[in-house]
Amino acid sequence: MSYIHFDKTQLVNLNYSLDREIIRTNRSGTYTSTTIIGCNTRKYHGLLVAPQPHIDSQNHVFLSTVHETVIQHGASFNLGISKFPGNYFPRGHKYLEDFDSEPIPKLTYRVGGVLLQKELILDTNRDRVMIRYTLLEAHSPTKIRIQPFLAFRGYHTLCKENDDIQKEYEKVPNGAKFRLYPVYDPLYLQLSKKNKFHPDPNWYHNVEYILERERGYEYQEDLYVPGYFEFDIEKGESVIFSAGLTEADPSTRQRAFEKEVARRIPRSNFENCLINSATQFIRKRDGETRIIAGYPWFGWWGRDTFIAAPGLTLARGDKETFLEIMDTMSKDLVGPLFPNVGSGDFTNMNSIDAPLWFFWSLQQYIYFTGDSKTIKSRYLGKLKGILDGYQKGTDFNIHMLSNGLIYGGYENVALTWMDAVTVDGPVTPRTGCPVEIQALWYNALQFYHELTDEKSYAELAEKVKSTFLEEFWDEKKGYLADVINGSEKDWAIRPNMVFATSLPYTMLDEYQRDQILDIVRSNLLTNRGLRTLAPDDPAYKGYYFGDPISRDNAYHNGTVWVWPMGHFVEAYIKLHGKSAKNFIDKIIKSFDGVMTQYGVGTVAEIYDGDPPHRPKGSVSQAWSVAELLRMMELVKRL
């Protein structure tokens, strides 16, 4: 039995199986995602979800799902499953025997004397998914019928029956080409063997996505089925169904499938699952290398990129990809600011911390490689531009005060990573001088001085340190204020003060760091990360659920995040050295159990603040995976 495996009793239990999703991506931004039984529960699910950069910066669902039917002696057994109002139809999951993830997702169905295996894989460099059907057992002639459910829509939207679709199709080798709307790339549906396509155009109405309904969004859509493919299959034979945005050569499908399987890292243990997951966030397309912040609905984010890049690349020994990411991001720098979200024409610059995390990311490169020359030659000018820009002042009221601290924001703007916004405005606005921004600012000044030996930056850093300790530290409380705005100080216990203890350059002595970590350990640390607010705070929300407003109000008011725990671990190691190993190992190993939950083989974006800390948010988050890998590397280096 492989590391990740589900048996029949688990698969046929919809309460169990529909809570577990798979996500697979290629290196150009295309992904396939569904539940372990193939029933889509999100509008973001689909077998082929690919970028259409000539339309917008979003992904688009081309092939939502397929329903397979096994035919013997004139009897048909439909293996598919979709949710419609009031019921699931067909209920093909009842034929499932097991799910295996080694080395790729594999479902096995038993229908009478038929044992059919279904395997799923993406082409690494093309917008194409391949499904291999292998007839393991059969006692009489067998046919397979495949019905494709087409969407051709942005993944944030839903499809409805309309008269604008182009029902015409073109024959291509062993398949057909469809283009429901002129603006889209065509979709090529092909098989590795001769088959017959039976045109039978039809709309399937009100396909339901139960998680969208739970999240308070529109949850029903209509999908277009143009007909079905049918072919004979012999015992022991494998036939590959291919869906891609370019035409495939049917004669090479078997070889292409095996080549892709050989590329895969086995998901044979916890660490290999994280490594597999890490590679899935890297998107190389049109000469750019970016990090997708999370699947299935995130794009690329500046802050997330700089925080996640070291763990996703350097912790795995991949410094080339790291530099490609930094080079791509550097092109997006506007004055002293990096985009919070997107790039080019689809850019939002409202991030006070992304430019300062850029410094930390480059420090991690030097830590992992020992190579400071590359950083100096490539990025020194950009680093100086950021520091000077923050001193002079820039957009969003981001500027340096006379006491050396960095101030940012104004009414109805959220600039830090705690950026949830509802109709009532930012949930945690943190306007003023947030604690982690000062820690990052000091670290950036000292790092630049380290690279250049320019004394003025070290002198400014000392001024920042003096002000910071005077304004933020409270000896009686034993921790740092979260935000200072003039004479107002917010003493809510949040994880943001952890960064003042973990960064390469810290303004705190050992005693202060120990006091802070003790407060964090007592109030915020869980086996899934750090709470965003102490449970005894009146604003604390222990569960992340409900409509968008309810979820946004909980997002940074108690909800657990994995990534800040990486900095807690780093600070703890700096204080305790080798004696920290057992404690940190226990924290990391506690995540072993999440590999068969929620996003199978990966780590979620967030978890409930209250036990049992159920996974929530995106099923696979870049900085969650990245910081676990970085934690593991920090422990190894002990």
Side-chain angles (χ1 to χ4, degrees), residues 28-77:
S28 63
T30 294
Y31 75 79
T32 182
S33 183
T34 183
T35 60
I36 58 174
I37 61 171
C39 180
N40 293 343
T41 57
R42 302 183 189 273
K43 61 188 174 187
Y44 301 99
H45 282 162
L47 291 178
L48 185 67
V49 185
Q52 291 285 273
H54 56 279
I55 298 177
D56 55 28
S57 61
Q58 306 297 321
N59 282 322
H60 292 256
V61 181
F62 283 84
L63 178 62
S64 178
T65 188
V66 295
H67 285 183
E68 305 93 350
T69 302
V70 173
I71 304 170
Q72 278 193 335
H73 301 300
S76 300
F77 305 89

Side-chain angles (χ1 to χ4, degrees), residues 111-131:
V111 182
V114 171
L115 194 64
L116 182 70
Q117 181 177 279
K118 174 183 176 181
E119 299 168 282
L120 182 72
I121 203 166
L122 279 167
D123 190 310
T124 300
N125 300 310
R126 296 173 182 82
D127 302 320
R128 180 180 297 137
V129 65
M130 293 181 283
I131 304 173

Side-chain angles (χ1 to χ4, degrees), residues 557-581:
N557 281 323
T559 297
V560 169
W561 292 71
V562 180
W563 77 270
M565 189 166 66
H567 286 266
F568 172 85
V569 164
E570 185 169 18
Y572 197 88
I573 288 174
K574 286 178 178 178
L575 271 179
H576 299 282
K578 290 183 179 180
S579 64
K581 187 176 186 304

Side-chain angles (χ1 to χ4, degrees), residues 502-521:
S502 66
L503 295 172
Y505 289 99
T506 175
M507 297 177 275
L508 305 173
D509 60 32
E510 282 193 13
Y511 169 76
Q512 291 167 323
R513 284 181 280 147
D514 188 50
Q515 290 286 97
I516 290 169
L517 292 182
D518 188 56
I519 291 285
V520 170
R521 185 174 178 177

Side-chain angles (χ1 to χ4, degrees), residues 247-259:
E247 185 176 315
D249 181 354
S251 67
T252 65
R253 290 307 85 203
Q254 298 285 1
R255 187 166 66 251
F257 196 99
E258 290 296 341
K259 184 178 179 180

Side-chain angles (χ1 to χ4, degrees), residues 438-489:
Q438 315 317 312
L440 286 162
W441 173 239
Y442 174 81
N443 178 68
L445 291 168
Q446 291 286 30
F447 178 50
Y448 190 79
H449 173 254
E450 173 193 323
L451 293 176
T452 65
D453 206 29
E454 292 186 31
K455 291 183 179 180
S456 61
Y457 292 94
E459 291 170 354
L460 177 55
E462 286 305 308
K463 180 179 181 180
V464 172
K465 178 178 179 179
S466 175
T467 306
F468 180 82
L469 293 176
E470 182 180 340
E471 296 291 334
F472 280 85
W473 175 253
D474 186 289
E475 186 67 32
K476 292 181 179 180
K477 288 182 171 65
Y479 65 95
L480 299 167
D482 188 60
V483 184
I484 293 177
N485 191 356
S487 60
E488 296 180 5
K489 297 186 179 183

